[in-house]
Amino acid sequence: MSKMKTNRGAAKRFRRTAKGGYKRAQSHLNHILTKKPAKRKRHLGSTERIADADVKSVRRMLPYS
């Protein structure tokens, strides 16, 4: 049987955590930043965990992570 392919878009967006979950970056931090408050931009810079409902699909896209 051939090897499974990793979804390259997902590989760039999601990283595996030490405890087996997945983390992701937040959106809305690329442009039109002048109208956003500093507090909002600061919080958008942090990472978030993938929702439990999405873990199954992320795991399928990243078979070797």
Side-chain angles (χ1 to χ4, degrees):
M1 185 173 175
S2 62
K3 290 193 265 184
M4 296 173 66
K5 287 194 172 183
T6 297
N7 182 307
R8 299 312 296 163
K12 295 166 189 174
R13 288 173 171 83
F14 307 121
R15 293 283 178 258
R16 187 133 175 131
T17 61
K19 293 190 175 183
Y22 290 93
K23 61 182 178 180
R24 65 170 176 84
Q26 297 192 66
S27 58
H28 305 291
L29 197 59
N30 285 327
H31 59 96
I32 315 175
L33 298 174
T34 54
K35 63 172 73 172
K36 295 172 187 164
K39 180 179 178 180
R40 180 176 171 193
K41 290 185 281 190
R42 190 167 58 247
H43 286 288
L44 287 173
S46 61
T47 57
E48 293 240 329
R49 291 194 53 191
I50 296 290
D52 293 337
D54 298 325
V55 169
K56 183 178 177 182
S57 59
V58 171
R59 191 172 287 141
R60 191 177 298 130
M61 290 188 281
L62 305 173
Y64 298 108
S65 67

